[in-house]
Amino acid sequence: MRNEVALVTGAAQGLGRGFSEALLRRGAKVCVADIKVQTGEATVLNFQQQFGRDRVFFVKCDVTSEEDVKAAVQATRGRFGKLTIMVNNAGMSSEAEWSKMVDVNLKGVIVGTQEAVAAMRRDAGGQGGVVVNIASAAGLIPVHTTPVYAATKFGVVGFTRSWAANPHLPSLGLSFSCICPTFTDTDMIVHDDSRKGRCLYSEDSQRVMAEVGVMPVSQVVSAFEQLLDSPDNNGVVMAVTNIKGVRIRRHGRPSRL
Ligand SMILES: NC(=O)c1ccc[n+]([C@@H]2O[C@H](COP(=O)([O-])OP(=O)(O)OC[C@H]3O[C@@H](n4cnc5c(N)ncnc54)[C@H](O)[C@@H]3O)[C@@H](O)[C@H]2O)c1
């Protein structure tokens, strides 16, 4: 990955931080983009101490702002000369703030993908690249405790698969895939405000989490690395879970979760 240049949104903490660290460990250069400035800058300082000052930088970026996303892509290209890996990871879970959640989880991924495509497409001066969108198991199976969150993640899966189905991708040099984890040990599962939303029986969420279990961030990061290492990852919808019986399917859905 010596020549790869990545932009990871929502990378100040949690999964985005884990993906960024893995990319840096493998030799890529990384732009850490997040709305949280203090946490993002502290993360980047830590990374610079481990991997070198010139390999990673922070950009304040709200993925609900097209201007911010465009500026983050431009900053990455300005600093490192190109963009070859886009990880649209920024997300939130709040049924109470459902409209904002649609903006962050779905529109943010759409804008991030569009800007990455514009920067990476070979026919417009880019060097090709990979778009990895972070969806969720809630984008593959119904989740009655968080229906709006599930809607955004089903949207991300459909959006990614639709890009992946484009027959012109080989000449553009692009690939599109997404990762669909079950519960993972980050801040997101701590701040559960689903009871304030409009769904019914949201109190079931703690029981569902106990049944499904919670994975460490490292497990999802390993899956991410496996995806990047796959020579043909276009169209992969990767379920990541401890529940037995789930297989990775190309252009399909897991047999069961
Ligand atoms: N933790 C889980 O159980 C789980 C499971 C499946 C999928 N996911 C998905 O993984 C992704 C990362 O979440 P996480 O678990 O690391 O949670 P997290 O809350 O630790 O991290 C989310 C990051 O996104 C950033 N963010 C939020 N809104 C933003 C915005 N408008 N612009 C830019 N950045 C913004 C936050 O500041 C934060 O740094 C999300 O898309 C989430 O939906 C999480």
Side-chain angles (χ1 to χ4, degrees):
M1 290 221 154
R2 295 259 154 249
N3 294 318
E4 304 295 342
V5 173
L7 168 52
V8 184
T9 67
Q13 63 183 49
L15 285 170
R17 180 185 168 128
F19 299 144
S20 301
E21 186 168 6
L23 287 161
L24 286 162
R25 202 181 343 103
R26 294 159 70 94
K29 293 178 175 134
V30 178
C31 172
V32 167
D34 206 291
I35 201 167
K36 284 187 185 165
V37 175
Q38 237 183 329
T39 315
E41 285 179 346
T43 293
V44 163
L45 188 62
N46 178 286
F47 286 162
Q48 286 177 335
Q49 284 160 355
Q50 285 184 71
F51 302 105
R53 281 186 64 79
D54 56 342
R55 299 258 318 274
V56 54
F57 72 108
F58 175 74
V59 161
K60 180 175 187 288
C61 170
D62 179 346
V63 298
T64 66
S65 157
E66 282 195 51
E67 292 72 36
D68 272 17
V69 177
K70 208 182 276 271
V73 170
Q74 274 169 3
T76 308
R77 295 176 88 190
R79 182 77 68 112
F80 299 134
K82 61 182 177 181
L83 175 69
T84 60
I85 300 173
M86 180 74 178
V87 186
N88 289 303
N89 164 79
M92 59 180 282
S93 176
S94 170
E95 295 296 305
E97 294 181 275
W98 66 266
S99 181
K100 182 180 170 192
M101 183 162 63
V102 174
D103 287 346
V104 175
N105 291 9
L106 184 53
K107 288 191 192 170
V109 170
I110 291 171
V111 171
T113 301
Q114 287 171 343
E115 291 303 325
V117 167
M120 299 191 309
R121 55 188 293 181
R122 281 206 187 117
D123 62 336
Q127 298 189 21
V130 181
V131 176
V132 180
N133 292 332
I134 308 307
S136 167
L140 301 172
I141 51 164
V143 182
H144 76 279
T145 53
T146 55
V148 182
Y149 181 78
T152 64
K153 296 301 186 177
F154 267 79
V156 170
V157 172
F159 175 73
T160 309
R161 290 185 62 198
S162 298
W163 268 106
N166 190 315
H168 305 286
L169 293 185
S171 62
L172 296 167
L174 301 174
S175 82
F176 300 85
S177 51
C178 61
I179 300 181
C180 302
T182 49
F183 297 109
T184 309
D185 188 13
T186 70
D187 273 9
M188 184 165 285
I189 61 166
V190 178
H191 304 297
D192 175 18
D193 73 349
S194 52
R195 283 168 207 230
K196 296 184 197 148
R198 296 186 191 172
C199 49
L200 305 181
Y201 295 101
S202 55
E203 61 274 18
D204 291 352
S205 63
Q206 292 306 316
R207 179 182 53 76
V208 173
M209 201 185 300
E211 278 170 16
V212 171
V214 177
M215 298 182 290
V217 167
S218 58
Q219 188 169 345
V220 185
V221 172
S222 296
F224 170 73
E225 293 187 80
Q226 192 189 328
L227 184 68
L228 288 182
D229 286 342
S230 162
D232 178 17
N233 53 25
N234 186 52
V236 170
V237 177
M238 183 183 243
V240 187
T241 180
N242 281 332
I243 305 173
K244 290 195 172 62
V246 177
R247 281 172 290 145
I248 302 163
R249 283 271 186 89
R250 182 179 303 276
H251 301 304
R253 58 196 171 91
S255 46
R256 72 181 182 83
L257 270 173

